[in-house]
Amino acid sequence: MGKLEIDDIGLESLVDAFYARVRADAALGPIFNDAIGDWPEHLEKLTDFWSSVMLTSGRYKGQPVPAHMKHKAQITPELFARWLALWAQTTDALMIPEAAAALQDRARRIAQSLQLAMFIRLGGR
Ligand code: HEM
């Protein structure tokens, strides 16, 4: 099968494939399967998110930090590393190389800022 580019079809296919892998992953799967009730809706939201990030489409209107804060008790830096490893595997498998590299770079930076928001305590206590 031909590899995908960063367009509507490519991002939708990538998001579907990525969350199929996430759900099957021993470490990440349980968190997502507990948290997400409506998978078609989640996949659409995440496709909108990546469309906004990579194509500046403005389709995603949401707040990722509070969405992850809700699950802070279950989320660790190690899980972020696992998420990024799965993202790298999936983008390498599905996307043309330049697209995979750009998607990995963006995900790393977003993961970094989510982790700063979640795990860094300013002022202690
Ligand atoms: C939503 C888990 C990393 C982007 C969610 C939700 C969960 C989750 C459980 C659903 C939240 C809810 O509505 O209850 C995780 C875990 C991660 C991770 C366990 C890594 C350890 C990331 C990364 C990105 C990302 C790196 C972006 C590159 C999003 C977005 C949403 C979301 C955009 C939707 C937020 C909204 O409701 O608007 N994530 N996530 N996540 N996640 Fe993650």
Side-chain angles (χ1 to χ4, degrees):
M1 206 191 76
K3 293 213 165 180
L4 299 164
E5 298 177 49
I6 297 175
D7 56 18
D8 286 349
I9 304 236
L11 291 176
E12 185 180 348
S13 308
L14 172 64
V15 165
D16 287 359
F18 176 66
Y19 285 98
R21 292 183 187 210
V22 163
R23 297 185 74 176
D25 185 76
L28 289 166
I31 298 181
F32 281 89
N33 286 316
D34 284 353
I36 311 290
D38 185 338
W39 273 96
E41 182 191 65
H42 183 73
L43 297 177
E44 200 180 319
K45 193 192 282 182
L46 269 291
T47 304
D48 286 346
F49 173 77
W50 282 106
S51 165
S52 289
V53 169
M54 302 308 287
L55 302 169
T56 50
S57 67
R59 270 163 45 183
Y60 173 77
K61 308 241 185 298
Q63 298 200 307
V65 170
H68 293 91
M69 277 295 192
K70 281 196 286 180
H71 305 282
K72 193 178 188 309
Q74 290 142 277
I75 299 181
T76 59
E78 291 71 30
L79 271 184
F80 270 98
R82 180 69 195 136
W83 191 108
L84 287 168
L86 218 48
W87 183 252
Q89 281 174 22
T90 315
T91 49
D92 282 340
L94 266 64
M95 310 302 286
I96 60 170
E98 305 77 53
L103 286 156
Q104 288 165 24
D105 183 61
R106 288 311 291 261
R108 255 195 310 272
R109 292 193 225 189
I110 296 164
Q112 195 57 48
S113 65
L114 279 175
Q115 288 181 89
L116 284 172
M118 292 183 75
F119 304 128
I120 301 278
R121 312 280 316 255
L122 294 174
R125 264 222 264 241

